[in-house]
Amino acid sequence: MDLGLRGKKAIVTGATKGIGRAIVEALLAEGAAVGFCARSEDEVQATVAEFQAKGGEVIGGAVNVRDGDAYRAWLESTAQALGGCDVFVPNVSAGGGMDSEKNWWKNFEVDVLHTVRGCEALMEHLKKSGQGAIVIISSTNAIETFAAPMAYNAMKASLITYAKQLSQFVGKAGVRVNAVSPGPIYFEGGAWEMIKGTNPKFYESTLRAIPSGRFGTPEEVARVVAFLASPAASLVTGANVVADNGFTKGVRY
Ligand SMILES: NC(=O)c1ccc[n+]([C@@H]2O[C@H](COP(=O)([O-])OP(=O)(O)OC[C@H]3O[C@@H](n4cnc5c(N)ncnc54)[C@H](OP(=O)(O)O)[C@@H]3O)[C@@H](O)[C@H]2O)c1
């Protein structure tokens, strides 16, 4: 199936590793031009060089999405450099952590505000596209209780509500908005590799909750995101697509 992404311009946040990096790779493989960011300049440059060596049309910038002004400036300059924006994937998260007021602010500013600011800053470009698509990265932690009360889980839930409401608001302008909720995703250098070392009991119990007995990979999430971002998913908007290999147990009608 041709997803129809060839020649489209995409912006992805947080993409020097893990799920974000795999999303950039999937979009490049479909022929899109991609701009992405992360905080580490060295890692951004190394990632750009790797993708360019494979023939990808890609640019990267070092920015902390928590800094609203710098982040908005990066989004606008990236859209200008790409010649527009058809696809936006806000992927950065401040991650989980036991509850504290500090974590609530961090997860609000990073997970929620960077997503909202990005959607607002890029909306005119997405409307101009005629086939604009936003894919917001949430988590299964938003839809089922997990581990402990955490700002991360509640803020990820708010993103699903935001995606649904925004989809209603901008649908007339030809922009689709969806959320993707991955279950546990394992990759080298990722959170689950760290948990495997620091809390093997929790790691094993999580693994046992997945019917096939294996974690997902960033590439498996990226394929779902690429589909939703593409004109091939023209009928899908306001959805929260769970990509969790059966990790969640709830029945949702
Ligand atoms: N991994 C999982 O099991 C899992 C499961 C469900 C949902 N998710 C969601 O999937 C998304 C990606 O997760 P991941 O595990 O792939 O993440 P990750 O390994 O933590 O990678 C995050 C990427 O974002 C960049 N980044 C982090 N903070 C940033 C900031 N403030 N500003 C700009 N860039 C920043 C990092 O580079 P720098 O450090 O250089 O900035 C890195 O490139 C997140 O929204 C996460 O909540 C993950």
Side-chain angles (χ1 to χ4, degrees):
M1 177 169 56
D2 178 11
L3 295 183
L5 281 167
R6 189 155 299 283
K8 298 281 189 229
K9 289 124 178 127
I11 297 181
V12 182
T13 66
T16 51
K17 62 178 188 160
I19 293 169
R21 184 190 167 97
I23 292 168
V24 171
E25 195 157 23
L27 294 172
L28 290 174
E30 293 298 320
V34 185
F36 73 89
C37 71
R39 288 166 301 182
S40 160
E41 174 82 48
D42 287 353
E43 284 173 34
V44 167
Q45 292 317 324
T47 306
V48 166
E50 277 177 55
F51 285 135
Q52 283 180 343
K54 292 182 197 161
E57 201 183 319
V58 61
I59 52 174
V63 69
N64 186 340
V65 300
R66 204 171 174 181
D67 178 343
D69 290 342
Y71 173 49
R72 285 192 197 91
W74 172 76
L75 288 168
E76 190 49 38
S77 66
T78 302
Q80 293 298 337
L82 291 171
C85 180
D86 306 288
V87 171
F88 176 48
V89 185
N91 167 71
V92 173
S93 168
M98 288 307 282
D99 230 11
S100 73
E101 194 165 314
K102 201 170 137 218
N103 280 346
W104 281 89
W105 281 113
K106 199 168 66 161
N107 282 107
F108 173 65
E109 286 182 342
V110 176
D111 294 63
V112 181
L113 262 193
H114 117 273
T115 298
V116 174
R117 284 172 172 155
C119 291
E120 287 180 358
L122 293 172
M123 192 51 74
E124 285 314 307
H125 293 289
L126 291 159
K127 285 180 179 173
K128 248 186 232 161
S129 159
Q131 292 181 315
I134 297 169
V135 186
I136 294 172
I137 308 301
S138 183
S139 165
T140 50
N141 291 12
I143 59 170
E144 283 193 1
T145 183
F146 181 73
M150 278 191 265
Y152 174 76
N153 303 351
M155 294 298 153
K156 285 295 196 184
S158 78
L159 291 178
I160 297 171
T161 305
Y162 176 65
K164 182 71 179 180
Q165 288 206 251
L166 186 62
S167 74
Q168 294 290 308
F169 201 62
V170 298
K172 260 194 202 139
V175 180
R176 293 179 303 104
V177 187
N178 291 290
V180 168
S181 290
I185 303 300
Y186 188 94
F187 57 91
E188 225 173 271
W192 284 102
E193 187 192 46
M194 191 263 290
I195 293 166
K196 191 179 181 181
T198 56
N199 193 347
K201 264 194 184 162
F202 180 53
Y203 174 88
E204 289 301 332
S205 70
T206 304
L207 199 54
R208 277 197 301 276
I210 304 170
S212 67
R214 72 165 183 89
F215 283 78
T217 66
E219 292 71 25
E220 289 174 300
V221 178
R223 287 199 291 270
V224 178
V225 174
F227 171 68
L228 290 171
S230 78
S234 50
L235 217 51
V236 189
T237 192
N240 172 39
V241 178
V242 175
D244 72 345
N245 211 1
F247 177 64
T248 50
K249 310 298 174 214
V251 179
R252 277 167 280 274
Y253 297 97

Coordinates of all heavy atoms in Angstrom, one line a residue, residues 134-166:
I134 N -1.9 15.4 12.6 CA -1.1 15.5 13.9 C -1.3 14.1 14.5 O -2.4 13.6 14.6 CB -1.7 16.6 14.8 CG1 -1.6 18.0 14.2 CG2 -1.0 16.5 16.2 CD1 -2.3 19.1 15.0
V135 N -0.1 13.6 15.0 CA -0.2 12.3 15.7 C 0.5 12.5 17.1 O 1.7 12.7 17.1 CB 0.5 11.1 15.0 CG1 0.3 9.8 15.8 CG2 0.0 11.0 13.6
I136 N -0.3 12.5 18.1 CA 0.2 12.8 19.5 C 0.6 11.5 20.2 O -0.2 10.6 20.2 CB -0.9 13.6 20.3 CG1 -1.1 15.0 19.7 CG2 -0.5 13.7 21.8 CD1 -2.3 15.7 20.3
I137 N 1.8 11.5 20.8 CA 2.2 10.2 21.4 C 1.8 10.3 22.9 O 2.3 11.0 23.7 CB 3.7 10.0 21.3 CG1 4.2 10.1 19.8 CG2 4.1 8.7 21.9 CD1 3.5 9.2 18.9
S138 N 0.8 9.4 23.2 CA 0.4 9.2 24.6 C 1.0 7.9 25.2 O 2.2 7.6 24.8 CB -1.1 9.2 24.6 OG -1.6 9.1 26.0
S139 N 0.2 7.2 25.9 CA 0.8 5.9 26.5 C -0.4 5.1 27.1 O -1.4 5.7 27.5 CB 1.7 6.3 27.7 OG 2.0 5.2 28.5
T140 N -0.2 3.8 27.2 CA -1.2 3.0 27.8 C -1.4 3.3 29.3 O -2.4 3.0 29.9 CB -0.9 1.5 27.7 OG1 0.4 1.2 28.1 CG2 -1.1 1.0 26.2
N141 N -0.3 4.0 29.8 CA -0.4 4.4 31.3 C -1.6 5.4 31.4 O -2.0 5.6 32.6 CB 0.9 5.1 31.7 CG 2.0 4.2 31.8 OD1 1.9 3.1 31.3 ND2 3.1 4.6 32.4
A142 N -2.1 6.0 30.3 CA -3.2 7.0 30.4 C -4.5 6.3 30.5 O -5.5 6.8 31.1 CB -3.2 7.8 29.2
I143 N -4.6 5.0 30.0 CA -5.9 4.4 29.9 C -6.1 3.3 30.9 O -7.3 2.8 31.1 CB -6.2 3.9 28.5 CG1 -5.1 2.9 28.0 CG2 -6.3 5.1 27.5 CD1 -5.5 2.2 26.7
E144 N -5.1 2.8 31.6 CA -5.2 1.8 32.6 C -4.3 2.2 33.8 O -3.2 2.7 33.6 CB -4.9 0.4 32.1 CG -6.1 -0.1 31.3 CD -6.0 -1.6 31.1 OE1 -5.0 -2.3 31.5 OE2 -6.9 -2.1 30.4
T145 N -4.7 1.9 35.0 CA -3.9 2.2 36.1 C -2.6 1.4 36.0 O -2.5 0.2 35.6 CB -4.6 1.9 37.4 OG1 -3.8 2.3 38.5 CG2 -5.0 0.5 37.6
F146 N -1.5 2.1 36.4 CA -0.1 1.5 36.1 C 0.8 1.9 37.2 O 1.0 3.1 37.5 CB 0.4 1.8 34.8 CG 1.7 1.2 34.4 CD1 1.9 -0.1 34.2 CD2 2.9 2.0 34.4 CE1 3.1 -0.7 33.9 CE2 4.1 1.5 34.1 CZ 4.2 0.1 33.9
A147 N 1.5 1.0 37.9 CA 2.6 1.2 38.8 C 2.2 2.0 40.0 O 2.1 1.5 41.1 CB 3.8 1.8 38.1
A148 N 2.0 3.3 39.8 CA 1.7 4.2 41.0 C 1.1 5.5 40.5 O 1.1 5.8 39.3 CB 3.1 4.6 41.6
P149 N 0.4 6.3 41.4 CA -0.1 7.5 40.9 C 1.0 8.4 40.4 O 2.0 8.7 41.1 CB -0.8 8.2 42.1 CG -0.7 7.2 43.2 CD 0.3 6.1 42.8
M150 N 1.0 8.8 39.1 CA 2.1 9.6 38.6 C 1.5 10.7 37.7 O 0.5 10.5 36.9 CB 2.9 8.7 37.7 CG 4.0 7.9 38.4 SD 5.1 7.1 37.2 CE 4.4 5.6 36.9
A151 N 2.2 11.9 37.7 CA 1.8 13.0 36.8 C 1.9 12.5 35.4 O 1.1 12.9 34.6 CB 2.8 14.1 37.1
Y152 N 2.9 11.7 35.1 CA 3.1 11.2 33.7 C 1.8 10.6 33.2 O 1.3 10.9 32.1 CB 4.2 10.2 33.7 CG 4.4 9.4 32.4 CD1 5.1 10.0 31.3 CD2 4.0 8.1 32.2 CE1 5.3 9.4 30.2 CE2 4.3 7.4 31.0 CZ 4.9 8.1 30.0 OH 5.1 7.4 28.8
N153 N 1.2 9.7 34.0 CA 0.0 9.0 33.5 C -1.2 10.0 33.3 O -1.9 9.9 32.3 CB -0.5 7.9 34.6 CG 0.7 6.9 34.9 OD1 1.7 6.9 34.2 ND2 0.5 6.1 35.9
A154 N -1.4 10.9 34.2 CA -2.5 11.8 34.1 C -2.3 12.8 33.0 O -3.3 13.1 32.3 CB -2.7 12.6 35.5
M155 N -1.1 13.2 32.8 CA -0.8 14.2 31.7 C -1.0 13.5 30.3 O -1.4 14.1 29.4 CB 0.6 14.8 31.8 CG 0.7 15.7 33.1 SD -0.4 17.1 33.0 CE -0.6 17.4 34.8
K156 N -0.6 12.2 30.3 CA -0.7 11.5 29.0 C -2.2 11.3 28.7 O -2.7 11.3 27.6 CB -0.1 10.1 29.1 CG 1.5 10.2 29.0 CD 1.9 10.7 27.6 CE 3.4 10.4 27.4 NZ 3.8 10.9 26.1
A157 N -3.1 11.1 29.8 CA -4.5 11.0 29.6 C -5.1 12.3 29.0 O -5.9 12.3 28.1 CB -5.2 10.7 30.9
S158 N -4.6 13.4 29.5 CA -5.1 14.7 29.0 C -4.8 14.9 27.5 O -5.5 15.6 26.8 CB -4.5 15.9 29.8 OG -3.2 16.2 29.4
L159 N -3.7 14.3 27.1 CA -3.4 14.4 25.6 C -4.4 13.7 24.8 O -4.7 14.1 23.6 CB -2.0 13.9 25.4 CG -0.8 14.7 26.0 CD1 0.5 14.0 25.7 CD2 -0.8 16.1 25.4
I160 N -5.0 12.6 25.3 CA -6.0 11.9 24.5 C -7.2 12.7 24.3 O -7.8 12.9 23.2 CB -6.3 10.5 25.1 CG1 -5.0 9.7 25.1 CG2 -7.4 9.8 24.4 CD1 -5.1 8.4 25.9
T161 N -7.6 13.4 25.4 CA -8.8 14.3 25.4 C -8.5 15.5 24.5 O -9.4 15.8 23.7 CB -9.1 14.8 26.8 OG1 -9.3 13.7 27.7 CG2 -10.4 15.6 26.8
Y162 N -7.3 16.0 24.6 CA -7.0 17.1 23.7 C -7.0 16.7 22.2 O -7.5 17.5 21.4 CB -5.6 17.6 24.1 CG -5.1 18.8 23.2 CD1 -5.7 20.0 23.2 CD2 -3.9 18.6 22.4 CE1 -5.2 21.0 22.4 CE2 -3.4 19.6 21.6 CZ -4.1 20.8 21.6 OH -3.6 21.8 20.8
A163 N -6.5 15.6 21.9 CA -6.4 15.1 20.5 C -7.9 15.0 20.0 O -8.1 15.4 18.9 CB -5.7 13.8 20.4
K164 N -8.8 14.4 20.8 CA -10.1 14.3 20.3 C -10.8 15.6 20.1 O -11.4 15.9 19.0 CB -10.9 13.5 21.4 CG -12.4 13.2 21.0 CD -12.4 12.2 20.0 CE -13.8 11.9 19.6 NZ -13.9 10.8 18.5
Q165 N -10.7 16.5 21.0 CA -11.3 17.8 20.9 C -10.7 18.6 19.8 O -11.5 19.3 19.0 CB -11.2 18.6 22.2 CG -12.1 18.0 23.3 CD -12.5 19.0 24.3 OE1 -12.1 19.0 25.4 NE2 -13.4 20.0 23.9
L166 N -9.4 18.6 19.6 CA -8.8 19.4 18.6 C -9.2 18.8 17.2 O -9.4 19.6 16.2 CB -7.2 19.3 18.7 CG -6.4 20.2 17.7 CD1 -6.7 21.6 17.9 CD2 -4.9 19.9 17.9

